[in-house]
Amino acid sequence: MQKTLRSKQEIQDYFKDWNLDEPSQEYVRFHCSRYGVLLQKIDEIINRMGKMAENKNGVKILDIDPAYQTEILRKTLPEATVNSLGFEDKRFKPNLQDKHFQFDLNDAQYKEKWPQTEGHDIIILAETIEHLYTAPKLVLECIATWLKTGGYLIIQTPNGVSLRRRLKMLSGKYPCEMIREKRTDPGHFREYTINELISIGKESGFVPSDYSISNYFNYHNNLKQGLYNTLTSVLPEAFRDGIMISLQKV
């Protein structure tokens, strides 16, 4: 049965039954607004491509680095194919039509290792590119081979020059954590700006379609976050926290 998982509360309520540990619960709370923004963009692209509700069984989506958003996509778009790629996570069960492709995106630097997949209408690279040490141009060139002509790549990633990060730098603190020891869960090697992502997309053979920069991460202190949101709403959008960009393969 199709579930409605669009709002922050609906998403948090759904995962309450999963018996998650505290770090996992915090991850869902932190990203639940981002999931809603992503779903809205996917709906927009599906409609733009002419694949309306009655034809969604023809939509092929590839979610790179399977996570909670993979589960949300499969529940909200049960007629679509939602394949995954990356390190497999057994918690996120595929539907009958779905496949998983095991591949470390850092190996995009070796063309002979690129996996062959079916063509997809939409590929999602969410909260992943900043964790890769391989040059993003090589990563996007690899991803392009898994996308149909006319299809879209959606990237979500922290804004490397947000106000939050600028303030940390001014206080003498580096805005990113140390690289973690676990290869399958590294820290952020490199965060990007919107202009860098547009440039990398063009160099990789994509045409930028649209982008937004917004505060879609949920921090603990609601009062502090509210003041931050108010301040960044009157500053240029480049000061906000989260980037989402759509790139079309032509």
Side-chain angles (χ1 to χ4, degrees):
M1 180 182 296
Q2 183 171 347
K3 290 186 176 293
T4 302
L5 297 174
R6 302 285 172 168
S7 71
K8 289 169 51 176
Q9 195 59 54
E10 287 171 337
I11 291 169
Q12 290 186 69
D13 288 346
Y14 177 78
F15 287 108
K16 279 181 180 176
D17 297 333
W18 278 45
N19 194 28
L20 300 175
D21 58 23
E22 183 53 37
S24 298
Q25 292 178 40
E26 174 54 29
Y27 187 91
V28 171
R29 285 194 295 268
F30 188 71
H31 289 277
C32 57
S33 294
R34 177 179 67 81
Y35 297 142
V37 171
L38 176 62
L39 287 168
Q40 184 176 356
K41 175 55 62 177
I42 290 170
D43 284 343
E44 177 187 315
I45 288 176
I46 289 174
N47 291 335
R48 187 188 307 167
M49 297 176 75
K51 296 179 180 291
M52 307 303 285
E54 64 273 15
N55 296 318
K56 283 184 179 176
N57 60 338
V59 175
K60 290 185 182 293
I61 298 172
L62 178 65
D63 190 16
I64 296 174
D65 195 12
Y68 301 100
Q69 67 196 24
T70 317
E71 173 72 12
I72 293 168
L73 285 167
R74 286 171 174 161
K75 294 303 179 184
T76 57
L77 296 170
E79 306 91 346
T81 296
V82 182
N83 294 328
S84 58
L85 181 144
F87 296 107
E88 188 173 13
D89 190 324
K90 298 290 188 182
R91 294 175 298 171
F92 309 114
K93 305 295 184 184
N95 293 327
L96 288 176
Q97 68 270 30
D98 304 331
K99 300 175 185 175
H100 177 75
F101 303 94
Q102 190 79 10
F103 183 63
D104 183 348
L105 265 186
N106 284 305
D107 285 340
Q109 58 190 292
Y110 308 111
K111 188 173 280 191
E112 66 274 14
K113 291 187 177 183
W114 292 4
Q116 300 293 316
T117 77
E118 56 199 278
H120 295 87
D121 298 295
I122 300 170
I123 296 180
I124 300 161
L125 184 67
E127 301 302 302
T128 298
I129 195 169
E130 67 275 8
H131 293 277
L132 302 175
Y133 55 78
T134 294
K137 180 176 180 288
L138 298 177
V139 172
L140 265 58
E141 287 175 343
C142 176
I143 289 173
T145 66
W146 309 327
L147 195 62
K148 295 178 182 177
T149 299
Y152 290 85
L153 168 63
I154 304 172
I155 299 174
Q156 285 185 316
T157 188
N159 176 16
V161 293
S162 68
L163 177 61
R164 196 181 306 275
R165 282 159 175 73
R166 297 183 199 213
L167 291 174
K168 281 188 176 181
M169 288 289 283
L170 285 172
S171 69
K173 298 177 182 177
Y174 190 71
C176 293
E177 63 178 311
M178 293 292 287
I179 296 170
R180 302 171 196 163
E181 296 180 6
K182 190 175 181 182
R183 186 183 180 191
T184 56
D185 186 27
H188 293 191
F189 287 100
R190 173 68 150 81
E191 294 181 351
Y192 299 90
T193 68
I194 185 58
N195 289 333
E196 288 177 325
L197 292 173
I198 289 171
S199 178
I200 294 164
K202 289 178 178 177
E203 291 173 4
S204 307
F206 291 91
V207 173
S209 174
D210 54 72
Y211 73 85
S212 62
I213 309 177
S214 58
N215 295 327
Y216 53 48
F217 298 114
N218 299 308
Y219 290 87
H220 279 301
N221 191 318
N222 291 331
L223 176 59
K224 188 176 179 180
Q225 184 64 32
L227 293 172
Y228 180 86
N229 290 346
T230 300
L231 177 58
T232 54
S233 70
V234 298
L235 291 172
E237 62 180 353
F239 285 85
R240 298 168 196 163
D241 288 341
I243 293 174
M244 181 170 69
I245 182 170
S246 301
L247 304 170
Q248 187 175 26
K249 179 180 176 180
V250 295

